[in-house]
Amino acid sequence: MAAKSIKKAVIPAAGLGTRFLPATKAVPKELLPIVDIPVIQLIVEEAVASGIEDIIFVTGRGKNKILDHFDDAPELEQKLMALGKEDLAKKLKKTCSLAKIVTVRQQEPRGLGDAVLSTKELVGDEPFLVLLGDDLVDSARPCARQMVEVYAEYQKSVVALMRVPEEEVPLFGICGGNSLGERTYDLDTMVEKPSVQDAPSNLGIVGRYVLEPSIFKYLEETELDEDGQLQLTDAMARMMKVEGFIGYEFTGDHYDAGDKFGFLQANLAYALKRRDIAPRLRAYLRDLVQRH
Ligand code: UTP
């Protein structure tokens, strides 16, 4: 049977961003810049570099600016051209034609599971990628592409995993399972934010998934947690028991850009890879560290 290819990606971006207030009171956290590129643009670029053609944003109250960012801006482009800044105008134009973008609104931020469930009609009956709108992975081979390739091999849903330090285990969804080979696991356990004692391993879930469309059925059957949130991990755990689930330890550097520290790390790491900024930044950091 020919492998089903993955053409659609869901990017949930309807969360409140409470960890980043007050910056996220009026600006969606997904639009905060990594040097000069919004987090969500880097994620869209990763999806496109992984073979995605259609992108479904899940947005909510106060998130319209995300769509503006991917909209044509002819007046601005004309002004840039008149100023002789043609490269910049071209760059802006390219951002608008990266992929076909549609959006669905999540009425209230009732959890990641609810955000994914709201895309049921748009996704239809095909496997799809999910990339969290505030999770960055910097890697030579895009993380989403690694996931799509693992899906092509096993034809089962896949979740991205990374080893997390013990003290961070209670902050992650954690998986356990049997090794299928290098970096790949046949999962038998998934728990959302366990205590260190209850955790099956230190393999934490990172925001990249390939999901079979049957996930919608499991999401509909999953009860809300005590905070009234529909957890994607709970639905995935049910799905795993019936259909199996692959865990894949991706290669690359992960940054939680929705977290203050992760955001600063990402900015420094990406800036240190930029030829226009790195030499000055390196010298500045050396000096700064000496003075503090
Ligand atoms: P997070 O849990 O990191 O987002 O969800 P949050 O709820 O905004 O975070 P804090 O804790 O309040 O700072 C990961 C991704 O899922 C989206 C978020 O926008 C983020 O990109 N999300 C989360 C939704 O789309 N809907 C939700 O109900 C929750």
Side-chain angles (χ1 to χ4, degrees), residues 71-86:
D71 246 359
D72 260 328
E75 292 91 8
L76 179 57
E77 280 165 29
Q78 272 165 19
K79 276 189 191 139
L80 289 171
M81 296 294 271
L83 289 168
K85 300 188 171 185
E86 283 163 31

Side-chain angles (χ1 to χ4, degrees), residues 12-20 29-30 58 63 106 108-112 115 132-134 229 258:
L16 292 177
T18 54
R19 284 170 295 161
F20 229 124
K29 66 172 164 180
E30 295 81 5
V58 183
K63 299 279 185 160
Q106 191 186 11
E108 265 182 66
R110 276 190 226 102
L112 182 56
L132 296 195
D134 59 355
Q229 302 277 299

Side-chain angles (χ1 to χ4, degrees), residues 138-153:
D138 183 24
S139 52
R141 202 156 53 96
C143 180
R145 177 166 288 283
Q146 299 176 42
M147 305 295 290
V148 166
E149 286 170 2
V150 175
Y151 175 80
E153 188 177 345

Side-chain angles (χ1 to χ4, degrees), residues 14-181:
L16 292 177
T18 54
R19 284 170 295 161
F20 229 124
L21 282 167
T24 48
K25 187 176 171 208
V27 178
K29 66 172 164 180
E30 295 81 5
L31 282 182
L32 295 176
I34 303 300
V35 187
D36 51 6
I37 302 177
V39 172
I40 199 159
Q41 183 180 329
L42 291 170
I43 292 171
V44 168
E45 287 172 357
E46 179 189 333
V48 171
S50 307
I52 293 300
E53 293 169 1
D54 295 317
I55 298 214
I56 304 165
F57 285 143
V58 183
T59 63
R61 219 173 117 73
K63 299 279 185 160
N64 290 346
K65 283 270 169 238
I66 294 178
L67 299 178
D68 292 349
H69 180 72
F70 292 93
D71 246 359
D72 260 328
E75 292 91 8
L76 179 57
E77 280 165 29
Q78 272 165 19
K79 276 189 191 139
L80 289 171
M81 296 294 271
L83 289 168
K85 300 188 171 185
E86 283 163 31
D87 286 354
L88 201 48
K90 275 195 204 137
K91 234 193 225 176
L92 292 192
K93 188 134 199 83
K94 205 169 145 219
T95 307
C96 309
S97 54
L98 280 171
K100 208 169 95 211
I101 291 178
V102 294
T103 179
V104 62
R105 273 180 89 79
Q106 191 186 11
Q107 288 304 333
E108 265 182 66
R110 276 190 226 102
L112 182 56
D114 184 67
V116 172
L117 183 54
S118 69
T119 67
K120 182 180 168 183
E121 270 74 38
L122 289 170
V123 168
D125 192 25
E126 55 185 286
F128 61 105
L129 250 171
V130 176
L131 304 93
L132 296 195
D134 59 355
D135 243 355
L136 283 175
V137 181
D138 183 24
S139 52
R141 202 156 53 96
C143 180
R145 177 166 288 283
Q146 299 176 42
M147 305 295 290
V148 166
E149 286 170 2
V150 175
Y151 175 80
E153 188 177 345
Y154 292 93
Q155 297 283 298
K156 276 186 197 168
S157 297
V158 191
V159 60
L161 299 175
M162 71 172 188
R163 298 266 171 206
V164 297
E166 192 175 278
E167 64 276 14
E168 289 182 22
V169 161
L171 305 175
F172 278 82
I174 300 287
C175 294
N178 300 309
S179 170
L180 287 173

